[in-house]
Amino acid sequence: MIAEKTKIRCAIYTRKSVDDGTLDSQEFSSLDAQREAGEAYILSQKANGWECLPEHYDDGGFSGGNINRPALIRLLDDIKAGKIDMVVVYKLDRLSRSLTDFSDLQEIFEQYHVSFCSVTQEINTSTPAGRMMLNILMSFGQYERELVAERTRDKYVASRKRGMWMGGFVPYGYRSENKKIFPDPLEAPVVKRMFQRFVETQSPKLIAHELNQDGLTSRKRKAWVNTYVARILKNPVYVGDVEYKGEIFKGEHEAIVSRQTWNRVQEIIKSNCPYERSGGITEITVPLKGILRCGHCGCAMSPVFCTKGKKRYYYYYCNTDYHRSEKLCPVGKIGSSIIEDAVKEQTVRIFSSTFFQEMISKATGITVAELQRIFRDEFWLECSSLELNRLYSELFEKITVHEHQLAYEIKTSGIKAVIEGIMNT
């Protein structure tokens, strides 16, 4: 008696990148052609036990660059459910154009003992020769895609260097038309006004305040803030240039501001910089940096520097209020010497109080006498700004500034670490 051949259940997968009514409007589409070729091939293998499953796995209008496709996901679900033995495609790239994705799909196929067959490329992963040919073709396919991507990047760089607009976000003041940008009749005058007013006032914040007072808003209908105005004043696109990786090239688009005005604005911006970014900021250590918070807005208070002559001054500024066009926070800005002296004075008072010392003694096991010896007046007098910054960071979770008071959140673990560090030195 002749043994009956094992049936091999074959699923045909088809894909087409451009969705031009593939599934609905056309009577006969590329997907139909792919399926017919698959059915004919399966019929030719009938002697080997192949049979075509009736289910259709058609992805019309989906790229092969990823595997997030509804029909493919359904196919994988049926494979995991044990309904399929062989996946048949018209051509290798119908299943995937990515070597990485194809490798992941192959792992799933192997895990569930499913073979793969390409009709037009004579690839059948049920044989060693088929698996070898598959790896060779996928490697060449990956190489071809990377070569195309490299050519595209080279073309983009060459186009930018020629000053062409290559798409993306259209700067405020311009509109996009036929892959080129032109001054917008409503926004361009606002940009001109910003540059002219900056030459007169040297203040992005004042410019933002004036625009808001006049009822002018950004493209997203939001109020102007000084940081947005500052970005516009530094963008070379408004003088007719384009920037690519730090280099400036002459653009093809029309400038909104004159070269003379642009150069003057950049000179003012450079002269207003209070210190060289290369290292000047490290000359001054700010004791309360990273610790001080605004009690009204709930945000951090950061140091802001300014110079007068050869002398540098700094303040602690409410971050939220700093970026507004007008002052709204009652805390706002505080001189560094005022707040630093107040914090140091209250910290000394806290650590000198008997009540606090007894609390710390119970929490850490260190005697009150030892605490008094460590936190004596000489200890605070000898602390530099850098040491105070480290000390405050260890002692306090944060220090919150309200209009008429300071609030401290003390870290018990930090106090213990500070004391142990002092005792071991």
Side-chain angles (χ1 to χ4, degrees), residues 13 15-19 58-66 68-71 94:
Y13 175 77
R15 181 186 64 80
K16 188 175 186 293
S17 295
V18 180
D19 189 2
D58 305 321
D59 275 322
F62 289 91
S63 167
N66 61 71
N68 187 25
R69 293 170 253 153
R94 297 303 88 192

Side-chain angles (χ1 to χ4, degrees), residues 344 372-383:
K344 187 173 182 180
Q372 291 174 345
R373 185 188 68 79
I374 292 170
F375 294 109
R376 61 191 186 279
D377 291 343
E378 290 81 359
F379 169 80
W380 300 103
L381 292 172
E382 294 169 357
C383 282

Side-chain angles (χ1 to χ4, degrees), residues 296-314:
H296 182 268
C297 301
C299 62
M301 296 195 69
S302 301
V304 179
F305 295 84
C306 67
T307 55
K308 291 183 180 179
K310 294 183 179 181
K311 198 168 182 181
R312 181 183 299 169
Y313 303 88
Y314 64 96

Side-chain angles (χ1 to χ4, degrees), residues 188-202 207 232-236 238-241 255-270:
V190 180
V191 173
K192 286 183 179 179
R193 173 178 171 178
M194 289 182 190
F195 277 85
Q196 187 59 44
R197 287 296 291 150
F198 185 77
V199 172
E200 298 166 356
T201 66
Q202 303 186 13
I207 294 170
I232 287 177
L233 295 171
K234 295 177 183 177
N235 193 339
Y238 297 108
V239 75
D241 293 338
I256 291 179
V257 299
S258 68
R259 181 70 60 176
Q260 181 181 359
T261 302
W262 165 263
N263 290 338
R264 179 56 183 148
V265 166
Q266 303 317 304
E267 288 173 3
I268 295 172
I269 291 173
K270 186 175 180 180

